[in-house]
Amino acid sequence: MPEGKIIKALSGFYYVLSDDDQVIQCRGRGVFRLNKVTPLVGDEVVFQAENESEGYILEVKDRKNELVRPPISNVDQAILVFSAVEPDFSTSLLDRFLVLVEFNRIKPIICVTKMDLTSDDRKKIEMYRDQYMKAGYEVILTSSETEDGLEQLLPHLKGVISVFAGQSGVGKSSLLNAIRPDLELKTNDISSHLGRGKHTTRHVELIKVGEGLVADTPGFSSLEFTDIEVEDLNYCFPDIEKLSEDCKFRGCIHLKEPKCAVKEAVNNGELPVYRYEHYELFVQEIKERKPRY
Ligand SMILES: Nc1nc2c(ncn2[C@@H]2O[C@H](COP(=O)(O)OP(=O)(O)O)[C@@H](O)[C@H]2O)c(=O)[nH]1
Ligand SMILES: [Mg+2]
Ligand SMILES: [Zn+2]
Protein backbone atom coordinates (compact mmCIF):
# COMPACT_ATOMS: atom_id res chain seq x y z
CA MET A 1 0.00 0.00 0.00
CA PRO A 2 1.29 3.51 -0.77
CA GLU A 3 2.30 5.84 2.04
CA GLY A 4 2.41 9.56 2.39
CA LYS A 5 1.88 12.61 4.56
CA ILE A 6 -1.29 14.66 5.02
CA ILE A 7 -0.49 18.20 3.90
CA LYS A 8 -3.99 19.68 4.04
CA ALA A 9 -7.36 18.83 5.59
CA LEU A 10 -10.44 20.59 4.28
CA SER A 11 -14.17 19.85 4.13
CA GLY A 12 -13.81 16.19 4.94
CA PHE A 13 -10.98 15.60 2.51
CA TYR A 14 -7.37 14.90 3.30
CA TYR A 15 -4.72 15.79 0.79
CA VAL A 16 -1.93 13.28 0.96
CA LEU A 17 1.51 13.96 -0.45
CA SER A 18 2.64 10.51 -1.49
CA ASP A 19 6.19 9.29 -1.21
CA ASP A 20 6.43 9.58 -5.00
CA ASP A 21 5.49 13.26 -4.80
CA GLN A 22 1.87 13.26 -5.95
CA VAL A 23 -1.02 14.84 -4.07
CA ILE A 24 -4.00 12.54 -3.66
CA GLN A 25 -7.40 13.63 -2.37
CA CYS A 26 -8.50 11.10 0.23
CA ARG A 27 -11.36 10.45 2.58
CA GLY A 28 -10.74 9.19 6.07
CA ARG A 29 -13.76 6.96 6.58
CA GLY A 30 -11.97 3.74 7.25
CA VAL A 31 -9.60 5.30 9.73
CA PHE A 32 -12.29 6.81 11.92
CA ARG A 33 -13.93 3.43 12.17
CA LEU A 34 -10.81 1.36 12.68
CA ASN A 35 -8.71 3.11 15.28
CA LYS A 36 -10.80 6.12 16.27
CA VAL A 37 -8.22 8.69 15.27
CA THR A 38 -8.99 11.92 13.54
CA PRO A 39 -6.31 12.39 10.92
CA LEU A 40 -4.28 15.57 11.30
CA VAL A 41 -2.15 17.58 8.95
CA GLY A 42 1.36 16.21 9.38
CA ASP A 43 0.23 12.61 9.87
CA GLU A 44 2.09 9.82 8.16
CA VAL A 45 -0.55 7.61 6.57
CA VAL A 46 -1.08 4.48 4.56
CA PHE A 47 -3.65 4.98 1.84
CA GLN A 48 -5.30 3.35 -1.11
CA ALA A 49 -6.28 5.19 -4.29
CA GLU A 50 -8.00 4.43 -7.59
CA ASN A 51 -6.93 7.82 -8.95
CA GLU A 52 -5.72 11.14 -7.57
CA SER A 53 -9.15 12.27 -6.36
CA GLU A 54 -10.53 9.07 -4.90
CA GLY A 55 -8.33 7.81 -2.16
CA TYR A 56 -8.91 6.37 1.28
CA ILE A 57 -6.72 6.68 4.31
CA LEU A 58 -6.32 3.24 5.79
CA GLU A 59 -3.97 3.87 8.66
CA VAL A 60 -2.52 6.78 10.62
CA LYS A 61 0.93 6.03 11.98
CA ASP A 62 1.94 6.90 15.53
CA ARG A 63 2.59 10.57 16.02
CA LYS A 64 5.85 12.01 17.25
CA ASN A 65 3.99 15.01 18.69
CA GLU A 66 0.78 16.93 18.26
CA LEU A 67 0.15 20.66 18.46
CA VAL A 68 -3.31 21.97 19.26
CA ARG A 69 -3.05 25.43 17.76
CA PRO A 70 -2.42 25.08 14.90
CA PRO A 71 -3.69 21.47 14.73
CA ILE A 72 -0.70 19.70 13.26
CA SER A 73 1.32 16.60 14.08
CA ASN A 74 4.88 15.40 13.64
CA VAL A 75 6.43 18.85 13.77
CA ASP A 76 10.20 18.39 13.66
CA GLN A 77 11.30 21.92 14.03
CA ALA A 78 10.23 25.41 15.06
CA ILE A 79 11.87 28.41 13.48
CA LEU A 80 11.64 31.00 16.25
CA VAL A 81 11.54 34.30 14.46
CA PHE A 82 12.64 37.36 16.42
CA SER A 83 13.42 40.75 14.97
CA ALA A 84 16.63 42.49 16.00
CA VAL A 85 14.66 45.75 16.14
CA GLU A 86 11.07 46.87 15.50
CA PRO A 87 10.12 45.21 17.79
CA ASP A 88 13.34 44.96 19.82
CA PHE A 89 14.85 41.55 20.44
CA SER A 90 13.47 40.09 23.67
CA THR A 91 15.30 37.34 25.53
CA SER A 92 12.36 36.80 27.89
CA LEU A 93 9.98 36.11 25.03
CA LEU A 94 12.60 33.95 23.32
CA ASP A 95 13.15 31.90 26.48
CA ARG A 96 9.40 31.43 26.79
CA PHE A 97 9.16 30.12 23.22
CA LEU A 98 12.19 27.90 23.79
CA VAL A 99 10.58 26.27 26.82
CA LEU A 100 7.36 25.54 24.91
CA VAL A 101 9.26 24.13 21.97
CA GLU A 102 11.58 21.98 24.09
CA PHE A 103 8.60 20.71 26.10
CA ASN A 104 6.99 19.51 22.86
CA ARG A 105 10.24 17.78 21.83
CA ILE A 106 10.59 20.02 18.80
CA LYS A 107 13.95 21.28 17.64
CA PRO A 108 14.20 25.07 17.85
CA ILE A 109 16.14 27.24 15.45
CA ILE A 110 16.51 30.88 16.41
CA CYS A 111 16.22 33.21 13.48
CA VAL A 112 16.87 36.90 14.05
CA THR A 113 15.38 39.12 11.31
CA LYS A 114 15.73 42.75 10.24
CA MET A 115 19.49 42.76 10.72
CA ASP A 116 19.63 45.41 7.98
CA LEU A 117 17.95 47.82 10.38
CA THR A 118 20.60 47.45 13.08
CA SER A 119 23.50 49.84 13.60
CA ASP A 120 25.24 50.11 16.98
CA ASP A 121 22.85 47.51 18.38
CA ARG A 122 24.27 44.89 16.01
CA LYS A 123 26.98 44.12 18.59
CA LYS A 124 24.36 43.40 21.21
CA ILE A 125 22.53 40.99 18.89
CA GLU A 126 25.82 39.25 18.11
CA MET A 127 26.45 38.88 21.82
CA TYR A 128 23.05 37.23 22.27
CA ARG A 129 23.78 34.99 19.30
CA ASP A 130 27.02 33.84 20.91
CA GLN A 131 25.30 33.23 24.25
CA TYR A 132 22.45 31.20 22.77
CA MET A 133 24.88 29.23 20.63
CA LYS A 134 26.82 28.44 23.78
CA ALA A 135 23.56 27.22 25.32
CA GLY A 136 23.37 24.77 22.42
CA TYR A 137 21.09 26.51 19.98
CA GLU A 138 21.35 27.20 16.30
CA VAL A 139 21.14 30.97 15.74
CA ILE A 140 20.86 32.57 12.31
CA LEU A 141 20.98 36.32 11.71
CA THR A 142 18.95 37.32 8.65
CA SER A 143 17.45 40.12 6.65
CA SER A 144 14.61 39.58 4.24
CA GLU A 145 15.48 42.93 2.75
CA THR A 146 19.08 42.09 1.78
CA GLU A 147 18.51 38.29 1.81
CA ASP A 148 21.43 37.89 4.19
CA GLY A 149 21.37 34.66 6.16
CA LEU A 150 18.77 32.89 4.01
CA GLU A 151 21.36 30.50 2.62
CA GLN A 152 22.12 29.50 6.20
CA LEU A 153 18.48 28.87 7.01
CA LEU A 154 17.59 26.86 3.89
CA PRO A 155 19.54 23.67 4.64
CA HIS A 156 17.71 23.41 7.97
CA LEU A 157 14.34 23.15 6.24
CA LYS A 158 15.36 20.20 4.11
CA GLY A 159 13.28 17.06 4.59
CA VAL A 160 11.46 18.14 7.76
CA ILE A 161 8.20 19.74 8.89
CA SER A 162 8.76 23.21 10.34
CA VAL A 163 6.51 25.77 11.94
CA PHE A 164 7.46 29.41 12.07
CA ALA A 165 6.71 31.05 15.38
CA GLY A 166 7.08 34.55 16.75
CA GLN A 167 5.26 37.77 17.54
CA SER A 168 3.34 39.47 14.82
CA GLY A 169 5.42 42.01 12.91
CA VAL A 170 8.78 40.30 13.38
CA GLY A 171 8.96 39.30 9.73
CA LYS A 172 7.78 35.68 9.44
CA SER A 173 5.85 36.21 6.21
CA SER A 174 8.61 38.37 4.76
CA LEU A 175 11.13 35.64 5.49
CA LEU A 176 9.04 32.98 3.75
CA ASN A 177 8.48 35.30 0.79
CA ALA A 178 12.20 35.97 0.57
CA ILE A 179 12.89 32.24 0.39
CA ARG A 180 9.99 31.51 -1.97
CA PRO A 181 8.80 34.70 -3.71
CA ASP A 182 5.90 33.00 -5.52
CA LEU A 183 4.16 32.48 -2.16
CA GLU A 184 3.24 36.16 -2.12
CA LEU A 185 2.20 36.03 1.53
CA LYS A 186 0.68 39.21 2.84
CA THR A 187 3.08 41.15 5.02
CA ASN A 188 2.41 43.67 7.73
CA ASP A 189 -0.89 41.88 7.94
CA ILE A 190 -2.51 43.33 11.03
CA SER A 191 -6.05 42.69 9.84
CA SER A 192 -5.57 38.92 9.62
CA HIS A 193 -5.36 38.84 13.38
CA LEU A 194 -8.52 40.87 13.92
CA GLY A 195 -10.39 39.09 11.16
CA ARG A 196 -9.84 35.76 12.78
CA GLY A 197 -13.41 35.56 14.06
CA LYS A 198 -14.97 32.65 15.88
CA HIS A 199 -16.73 31.41 12.81
CA THR A 200 -13.88 31.49 10.37
CA THR A 201 -12.73 27.96 9.78
CA ARG A 202 -9.00 28.03 9.94
CA HIS A 203 -7.23 25.23 8.21
CA VAL A 204 -3.57 24.47 8.25
CA GLU A 205 -1.66 23.54 5.21
CA LEU A 206 1.89 22.35 4.75
CA ILE A 207 3.60 24.14 1.93
CA LYS A 208 6.87 23.33 0.22
CA VAL A 209 9.55 25.81 1.12
CA GLY A 210 13.05 25.00 0.02
CA GLU A 211 13.26 21.24 0.25
CA GLY A 212 10.99 20.96 3.26
CA LEU A 213 7.42 21.49 4.44
CA VAL A 214 6.33 24.53 6.42
CA ALA A 215 2.99 25.14 8.15
CA ASP A 216 1.29 28.16 6.65
CA THR A 217 0.09 29.45 10.03
CA PRO A 218 2.38 30.43 12.89
CA GLY A 219 2.85 27.82 15.59
CA PHE A 220 2.49 28.30 19.35
CA SER A 221 -0.27 30.88 19.49
CA SER A 222 -0.59 30.42 23.26
CA LEU A 223 2.48 31.15 25.32
CA GLU A 224 1.13 29.81 28.58
CA PHE A 225 2.76 26.93 30.37
CA THR A 226 -0.47 25.02 31.00
CA ASP A 227 0.95 21.48 31.03
CA ILE A 228 4.50 22.15 32.10
CA GLU A 229 5.59 21.25 35.64
CA VAL A 230 8.49 22.79 37.56
CA GLU A 231 10.51 19.57 37.11
CA ASP A 232 10.13 19.85 33.33
CA LEU A 233 11.82 23.23 33.24
CA ASN A 234 15.24 21.66 33.75
CA TYR A 235 15.25 19.89 30.39
CA CYS A 236 13.51 22.85 28.75
CA PHE A 237 16.68 24.84 29.57
CA PRO A 238 19.40 22.57 28.15
CA ASP A 239 22.18 24.82 29.45
CA ILE A 240 20.76 24.63 32.97
CA GLU A 241 20.20 20.90 32.63
CA LYS A 242 23.84 20.40 31.71
CA LEU A 243 25.05 22.47 34.66
CA SER A 244 22.70 20.72 37.07
CA GLU A 245 24.76 17.53 36.76
CA ASP A 246 27.09 19.22 39.26
CA CYS A 247 24.44 20.36 41.76
CA LYS A 248 24.97 18.76 45.15
CA PHE A 249 21.38 17.60 45.49
CA ARG A 250 19.58 15.40 43.05
CA GLY A 251 16.36 17.06 41.98
CA CYS A 252 17.84 20.47 42.80
CA ILE A 253 15.57 23.10 41.30
CA HIS A 254 18.25 25.79 41.64
CA LEU A 255 16.40 28.19 43.90
CA LYS A 256 17.37 27.96 47.57
CA GLU A 257 19.46 24.79 47.57
CA PRO A 258 23.10 25.03 48.73
CA LYS A 259 25.95 23.99 46.43
CA CYS A 260 23.89 24.61 43.36
CA ALA A 261 26.03 24.52 40.22
CA VAL A 262 23.51 26.59 38.30
CA LYS A 263 23.65 29.51 40.74
CA GLU A 264 27.44 29.21 40.83
CA ALA A 265 27.49 29.46 37.03
CA VAL A 266 25.45 32.65 37.21
CA ASN A 267 27.83 34.10 39.80
CA ASN A 268 30.93 33.36 37.78
CA GLY A 269 29.42 34.63 34.56
CA GLU A 270 29.20 31.27 32.82
CA LEU A 271 25.40 31.36 32.58
CA PRO A 272 23.82 34.66 31.50
CA VAL A 273 21.89 36.26 34.36
CA TYR A 274 18.81 36.70 32.19
CA ARG A 275 18.59 32.97 31.47
CA TYR A 276 18.50 32.22 35.17
CA GLU A 277 16.05 35.07 35.87
CA HIS A 278 13.68 33.72 33.24
CA TYR A 279 14.00 30.24 34.67
CA GLU A 280 13.10 31.64 38.10
CA LEU A 281 10.21 33.60 36.64
CA PHE A 282 8.80 30.53 34.90
CA VAL A 283 9.08 28.44 38.07
CA GLN A 284 7.10 31.14 39.85
CA GLU A 285 4.53 31.26 37.09
CA ILE A 286 4.01 27.51 37.15
CA LYS A 287 3.70 27.47 40.94
CA GLU A 288 1.08 30.21 40.87
CA ARG A 289 -0.86 28.65 38.04
CA LYS A 290 -4.50 28.14 38.84
CA PRO A 291 -5.57 24.53 38.84
CA ARG A 292 -7.64 23.53 35.83
CA TYR A 293 -10.71 21.40 36.05
N1 LIG B 1 13.98 46.32 6.86
C1 LIG B 1 13.38 45.15 7.04
N2 LIG B 1 12.04 45.08 7.22
C2 LIG B 1 11.46 43.87 7.38
C3 LIG B 1 12.22 42.67 7.39
N3 LIG B 1 11.38 41.64 7.62
C4 LIG B 1 10.14 42.18 7.72
N4 LIG B 1 10.18 43.53 7.58
C5 LIG B 1 9.02 44.44 7.68
O1 LIG B 1 8.37 44.23 8.92
C6 LIG B 1 6.95 44.29 8.80
C7 LIG B 1 6.30 43.01 9.31
O2 LIG B 1 6.72 41.92 8.53
P1 LIG B 1 5.83 40.59 8.34
O3 LIG B 1 6.59 39.69 7.44
O4 LIG B 1 4.44 40.95 7.93
O5 LIG B 1 5.82 40.02 9.83
P2 LIG B 1 4.95 38.80 10.43
O6 LIG B 1 3.79 39.43 11.13
O7 LIG B 1 5.87 38.14 11.40
O8 LIG B 1 4.57 37.91 9.31
C8 LIG B 1 6.69 44.53 7.31
O9 LIG B 1 6.46 45.90 7.13
C9 LIG B 1 7.98 44.10 6.63
O10 LIG B 1 8.21 44.79 5.44
C10 LIG B 1 13.65 42.76 7.20
O11 LIG B 1 14.41 41.78 7.21
N5 LIG B 1 14.17 44.02 7.03
MG1 LIG C 1 2.64 37.25 8.72
ZN1 LIG D 1 20.94 23.42 41.32
Side-chain angles (χ1 to χ4, degrees):
M1 287 296 168
E3 301 190 0
K5 202 192 295 296
I6 301 178
I7 55 166
K8 181 165 103 173
L10 193 63
S11 317
F13 288 107
Y14 300 97
Y15 296 83
V16 177
L17 176 67
S18 67
D19 287 348
D20 56 4
D21 225 25
Q22 281 182 296
V23 178
I24 294 108
Q25 178 177 289
C26 295
R27 290 190 179 274
R29 257 193 345 219
V31 187
F32 291 117
R33 227 180 318 127
L34 281 175
N35 49 5
K36 296 194 172 69
V37 291
T38 304
L40 274 180
V41 169
D43 278 343
E44 298 282 348
V45 299
V46 179
F47 68 97
Q48 181 180 30
E50 296 298 317
N51 53 56
E52 61 182 29
S53 63
E54 283 177 288
Y56 286 96
I57 291 172
L58 303 175
E59 185 192 333
V60 174
K61 303 211 169 164
D62 285 344
R63 292 170 184 151
K64 167 178 159 182
N65 55 32
E66 196 178 319
L67 298 184
V68 181
R69 279 196 301 164
I72 177 172
S73 67
N74 298 323
V75 175
D76 297 295
Q77 184 168 272
I79 314 291
L80 303 182
V81 184
F82 277 73
S83 47
V85 290
E86 299 177 26
D88 280 343
F89 187 78
S90 157
T91 58
S92 71
L93 196 58
L94 175 56
D95 286 343
R96 188 174 289 275
F97 268 107
L98 284 170
V99 166
L100 288 163
V101 168
E102 298 278 5
F103 181 69
N104 284 283
R105 308 281 181 200
I106 294 170
K107 181 189 176 193
I109 294 200
I110 301 166
C111 181
V112 183
T113 57
K114 308 196 191 184
M115 286 305 289
D116 60 293
L117 297 180
T118 58
S119 47
D120 297 346
D121 35 13
R122 189 181 179 96
K123 287 248 164 359
K124 193 185 70 190
I125 300 293
E126 286 170 347
M127 179 196 76
Y128 286 134
R129 175 195 57 195
D130 296 345
Q131 290 174 334
Y132 279 96
M133 287 181 79
K134 192 174 165 226
Y137 293 111
E138 199 81 55
V139 186
I140 302 171
L141 308 186
T142 69
S143 161
S144 302
E145 202 67 25
T146 63
E147 305 196 343
D148 276 343
L150 302 185
E151 74 292 343
Q152 262 172 287
L153 180 60
L154 264 173
H156 290 285
L157 302 179
K158 190 175 176 178
V160 295
I161 297 182
S162 306
V163 293
F164 278 60
Q167 273 178 293
S168 127
V170 293
K172 296 179 294 298
S173 302
S174 304
L175 194 59
L176 287 167
N177 283 339
I179 298 174
R180 215 191 110 171
D182 64 300
L183 284 177
E184 297 181 349
L185 298 175
K186 259 195 256 169
T187 57
N188 218 349
D189 193 4
I190 306 159
S191 63
S192 76
H193 198 75
L194 300 171
R196 197 184 287 167
K198 263 188 207 154
H199 304 289
T200 5
T201 19
R202 299 213 303 122
H203 74 274
V204 205
E205 190 172 339
L206 291 175
I207 48 183
K208 277 196 184 172
V209 177
E211 289 175 70
L213 293 170
V214 172
D216 67 340
T217 40
F220 300 95
S221 47
S222 164
L223 294 177
E224 282 172 43
F225 298 150
T226 30
D227 299 321
I228 305 181
E229 302 300 336
V230 171
E231 302 75 54
D232 294 319
L233 279 181
N234 215 43
Y235 69 75
C236 293
F237 280 83
D239 42 357
I240 290 182
E241 184 181 40
K242 184 88 189 42
L243 289 163
S244 69
E245 288 167 11
D246 294 325
C247 291
K248 177 153 200 252
F249 296 101
R250 268 184 61 182
C252 180
I253 56 164
H254 329 304
L255 297 177
K256 301 233 159 62
E257 296 92 336
K259 303 242 161 100
C260 168
V262 174
K263 281 186 290 176
E264 275 164 28
V266 177
N267 289 335
N268 67 29
E270 204 188 322
L271 181 70
V273 178
Y274 61 85
R275 284 284 283 170
Y276 181 71
E277 284 176 348
H278 298 150
Y279 170 86
E280 262 187 314
L281 177 75
F282 299 161
V283 169
Q284 202 58 35
E285 210 170 291
I286 290 169
K287 284 185 169 168
E288 286 167 7
R289 180 174 62 198
K290 293 193 184 68
R292 288 178 307 145
Y293 299 102

